[in-house]
Amino acid sequence: MKLYEHYKKKPYKYIGEAKHSETLEDVVIYETRYANELAKLWVRPKNLFFGTLESNGEKSPRFKKVDLEVKATAEITESDIQDIATVMEKAFGEWDPDWFQSTFKNHKTFFLPSARINDQVVAFKLGYESTSAEFYSWLGGVVPEFRGLGIAADLMILQHDWCREQGYSRILTKTQNRFRDMLLLNIKFGFDVIGFHASDEGGPKILLEKRL
């Protein structure tokens, strides 16, 4: 993940380095992760991007790399459910605890990787055992301002590695065309489309399977 925080506490995505076409100066290209009416993409000399500032006799980085804290658990607590609710509300604008519990209470074996940045939950990926050989990847989401940083991919890799360790032979999941990024991510990580079924939730559900 390449998330940086400016010393003024604004988040930016580090995109990469480039050369100035006239001076051959090394520059950094970065992107705002908040609403900025001036521009979305910015360029700054590399030595300034990675440079330091001095205030009250103390030096601090102009841009500080933000670490991603990943937690994984098979014991889902009320605190974990609240984290799920927080991400669902921010990512999709809705959270229905009764709907969640109607499925959650019918399963025993779960796996939940989640991610935090600066102690703020920003993503999760929850699944459960559907048979001794099959794991169902049920719910997941990333808070909008932290999308495009590879967090969903990190959590998916963690989920798949855990499933292999537990001896599952396949993972199933469902999505819809309106969640295009998730559909493409699943395909990128080896899922095949194996069917469809009707849904009144915004289009047909796409059933995907990955053999482990």
Side-chain angles (χ1 to χ4, degrees):
M1 190 192 70
K2 297 183 178 181
L3 183 68
Y4 282 77
E5 184 178 74
H6 190 251
Y7 74 97
K8 294 182 180 179
K9 305 302 182 183
K10 294 291 188 180
Y12 293 88
K13 176 184 177 181
Y14 172 93
I15 294 177
E17 298 178 17
K19 289 282 189 183
H20 191 291
S21 62
E22 301 298 324
T23 66
L24 297 183
E25 178 183 18
D26 290 322
V27 297
V28 169
I29 303 170
Y30 56 106
E31 176 187 87
T32 61
R33 304 302 293 184
Y34 61 94
N36 188 322
E37 62 183 14
L38 294 177
K40 187 173 182 65
L41 293 178
W42 296 79
V43 174
R44 186 184 293 262
K46 180 179 177 180
N47 65 327
L48 293 181
F49 186 92
F50 290 110
T52 58
L53 298 170
E54 186 170 338
S55 177
N56 298 323
E58 295 185 0
K59 290 185 176 181
S60 60
R62 185 186 301 273
F63 288 88
K64 179 178 67 175
K65 192 173 189 303
V66 177
D67 293 324
L68 182 71
E69 178 189 354
V70 176
K71 167 190 171 184
T73 182
E75 301 293 332
I76 313 301
T77 66
E78 285 300 320
S79 178
D80 293 323
I81 293 174
Q82 184 54 54
D83 285 344
I84 291 169
T86 296
V87 175
M88 291 290 286
E89 288 175 341
K90 292 181 178 179
F92 305 109
E94 59 184 6
W95 168 248
D96 184 342
D98 293 334
W99 169 83
F100 177 85
Q101 289 293 339
S102 68
T103 296
F104 182 76
K105 67 183 181 182
N106 290 324
H107 299 276
K108 295 181 179 180
T109 302
F110 292 89
F111 184 63
L112 172 67
S114 59
R116 291 178 178 272
I117 293 175
N118 293 334
D119 204 35
Q120 172 191 354
V121 60
V122 299
F124 78 93
K125 191 165 186 64
L126 176 64
Y128 55 79
E129 177 182 291
S130 48
T131 72
S132 60
E134 181 182 281
F135 186 83
Y136 182 68
S137 185
W138 177 30
L139 294 176
V142 181
V143 174
E145 56 264 41
F146 296 103
R147 291 173 182 166
L149 297 171
I151 298 175
D154 289 345
L155 297 185
M156 182 176 286
I157 291 169
L158 189 58
Q159 182 193 71
H160 294 186
D161 288 346
W162 182 85
C163 285
R164 291 188 186 93
E165 292 171 0
Q166 303 307 307
Y168 297 110
S169 61
R170 62 186 178 272
I171 302 174
L172 291 183
T173 192
K174 295 178 184 179
T175 189
Q176 293 174 292
N177 281 321
R178 60 191 175 120
F179 302 126
R180 192 63 54 91
D181 289 343
M182 181 52 64
L183 174 60
L184 293 175
L185 183 65
N186 281 319
I187 292 172
K188 178 181 178 181
F189 276 86
F191 281 87
D192 295 317
V193 176
I194 61 171
F196 302 84
H197 69 76
S199 170
D200 58 1
E201 299 177 6
K205 292 285 185 72
I206 304 168
L207 180 61
L208 300 108
E209 177 190 68
K210 178 175 179 174
R211 295 279 177 170
L212 297 175

